[in-house]
Amino acid sequence: MHQMVCPCQEKMKGWIMMKIEQEGRTVFPVIVSNSSSLKSVNFYLLKERETLYLIDAGMNDEACWNVLLHTLEVNDLSLSDLTGIILTHHHIDHVGLVDRIVLHNQIPVFVHEEAVLRLKRDSVFLEKRADFFEKLYKEMGCGEAGEKQARFVREAIEKNKDNALKTCLTPIEEGFLTSLSLRIIKMPGHAPDQIALYDEKRGWLFGGDLLIGHISSNAIVEPDSSGNRIMTLVQHRESLEKCLKFNMNIVFPGHGMLIENGKSLIQNRLRRIDKKAEKFVSAIGKGFATAAEIAESYYKNVYYDHFSLVMSEVIGHLDYLENQGRVSKTKVEGVWQYTIQL
């Protein structure tokens, strides 16, 4: 395998500089360290001949902006050399610099079609999304904690309206990006609009938040564009299993270190999903019947401190178990009650 990995060529102010080269193609990772559990925010410059794509766009802050400019500069590049931006999904830590970059260089921005309503903060969709969470948390028996989170989601529509991307977005189809010979693959689960970019020749996978080395990715509960609930953990697991068929020499994640043991890490993540699912089956067997009861019994105070993430985790695993035929649910006075299927 003719590949050169040059980590830590330069390290300054929490920025780690490196480049990966193989057969005429170069990746310049833009890795901005931070103090959160994510450890870093990663995005990537991908260069081949006259093309230079940016895969994801970090946070909208000076740290990400400065390290992007610095990475370009030390490699004799500039914003004007960019051919386009490809976003793996709509989350704020992956799209932050888009408008700022496009102000300097009017390049296309490619996204999954499901991302457009979210990135443009379409008011009709966001109201439908707020209705979705209000109904969901009631059905899952979340009571006051659910009502509080539902209010937060609705209030965020007005509060965050200025976060809408102003840039024109171009939906990208699953298939090949011919200018780079990259395969675009839909990888829903962590987000409905998540995509991965796969370089089969080199065994490179740009996975967004599909796979992170030091932590498991959250399969965050979300509605689709029509307001219907998605079985996010089921989708996330299917996306991980899809990757087991790929030759993966390097996975370029959205956070943390680059991954060179992709298949073994995926197998570990799949085992952890099954292990946690068994714990929730055990909780149901002990008489915790609603998603909220299961969440509170398992996570204790974390249920209140990180409510939306905890409920995504529990609901996702219950969907997974229901999809397997391991549990069933019955609505009692508007709340889903889960039982073990014998």
Side-chain angles (χ1 to χ4, degrees):
M1 179 176 66
H2 301 292
Q3 181 164 283
M4 181 173 68
V5 180
C6 304
C8 301
Q9 286 186 337
E10 181 178 349
K11 185 173 181 179
M12 54 181 294
K13 298 180 182 177
W15 308 334
I16 302 170
M17 307 298 297
M18 67 176 80
K19 69 176 178 180
I20 298 94
E21 297 177 299
Q22 187 177 335
E23 299 180 49
R25 180 170 288 180
T26 306
V27 180
F28 304 102
V30 183
I31 299 178
V32 185
S33 63
N34 63 32
S35 58
S36 76
S37 62
L38 296 174
K39 293 191 177 181
S40 67
V41 173
N42 304 348
F43 44 120
Y44 302 93
L45 291 158
L46 180 60
K47 187 178 190 306
E48 184 172 17
R49 294 188 295 273
E50 301 305 313
T51 63
L52 180 66
Y53 279 88
L54 184 65
I55 300 173
D56 284 338
M59 294 287 292
N60 185 18
D61 60 27
E62 292 308 303
C64 286
W65 179 247
N66 289 335
V67 71
L68 172 61
L69 295 182
H70 185 70
T71 305
L72 289 164
E73 181 183 358
V74 299
N75 292 289
D76 297 319
L77 299 166
S78 69
L79 291 174
S80 63
D81 294 313
L82 285 171
T83 306
I85 301 172
I86 306 169
L87 301 178
T88 62
H89 60 295
H90 73 278
H91 291 167
I92 192 169
D93 52 339
H94 292 258
V95 307
L97 297 178
V98 167
D99 283 341
R100 198 166 176 179
I101 292 168
V102 174
L103 278 175
H104 289 80
N105 184 358
Q106 295 291 316
I107 51 176
V109 178
F110 299 100
V111 301
H112 186 298
E113 59 186 8
E114 280 274 350
V116 176
L117 292 176
R118 292 169 167 84
L119 291 172
K120 290 297 185 180
R121 298 199 62 79
D122 178 84
S123 59
V124 174
F125 167 73
L126 292 180
E127 287 290 349
K128 192 183 299 182
R129 182 174 179 270
D131 293 342
F132 163 84
F133 280 110
E134 187 175 295
K135 180 173 181 284
L136 176 69
Y137 294 142
K138 284 180 181 177
E139 291 179 337
M140 295 300 167
C142 297
E144 185 178 339
E147 292 171 6
K148 180 180 177 181
Q149 181 64 23
R151 285 195 301 272
F152 174 82
V153 171
R154 196 171 298 279
E155 289 166 2
I157 298 173
E158 177 65 23
K159 182 179 178 181
N160 297 329
K161 65 181 181 181
D162 292 336
N163 291 341
L165 289 189
K166 300 175 179 63
T167 300
C168 181
L169 303 173
T170 302
I172 191 169
E173 297 293 331
E174 188 166 50
F176 280 93
L177 181 64
T178 54
S179 60
L180 275 173
S181 299
L182 285 175
R183 186 177 166 195
I184 306 296
I185 308 165
K186 292 181 178 179
M187 294 288 189
H190 174 68
D193 59 304
Q194 183 166 255
I195 60 172
L197 290 79
Y198 179 49
D199 182 336
E200 183 174 9
K201 182 178 180 180
R202 297 164 184 82
W204 293 353
L205 183 74
F206 298 87
D209 287 348
L210 174 66
L211 190 65
I212 299 172
H214 64 285
I215 54 173
S216 297
S217 298
N218 294 305
I220 300 172
V221 170
E222 278 284 337
D224 62 18
S225 56
S226 299
N228 300 312
R229 183 154 72 84
I230 304 166
M231 287 194 170
T232 50
L233 186 65
V234 173
Q235 287 188 338
H236 180 60
R237 187 183 174 91
E238 289 172 350
S239 293
L240 289 173
E241 289 174 336
K242 193 184 301 183
C243 291
L244 291 175
K245 301 174 184 177
F246 301 159
N247 170 38
M248 291 184 294
N249 293 320
I250 301 178
V251 178
F252 297 89
H255 307 280
M257 298 297 291
L258 307 190
I259 299 165
E260 296 183 328
N261 61 337
K263 289 190 178 182
S264 62
L265 183 59
I266 287 171
Q267 294 285 13
N268 178 264
R269 294 288 183 261
L270 295 174
R271 285 192 293 270
R272 288 183 65 175
I273 289 170
D274 288 337
K275 186 177 180 179
K276 185 167 284 187
E278 290 303 321
K279 291 182 178 180
F280 293 156
V281 169
S282 177
I284 295 170
K286 292 175 182 177
F288 298 104
T290 70
E293 289 171 352
I294 295 166
E296 192 170 8
S297 70
Y298 185 82
Y299 288 100
K300 306 296 191 276
N301 287 338
V302 177
Y303 168 70
Y304 298 98
D305 296 338
H306 301 282
F307 175 83
S308 63
L309 291 178
V310 165
M311 287 310 301
S312 285
E313 187 83 352
V314 173
I315 293 168
H317 280 80
L318 291 173
D319 284 344
Y320 172 55
L321 288 165
E322 188 176 8
N323 196 53
Q324 286 187 315
R326 299 281 311 282
V327 303
S328 61
K329 65 180 186 289
T330 305
K331 191 170 280 189
V332 178
E333 296 181 356
V335 177
W336 290 116
Q337 305 274 338
Y338 288 85
T339 55
I340 298 171
Q341 285 285 88
L342 302 177

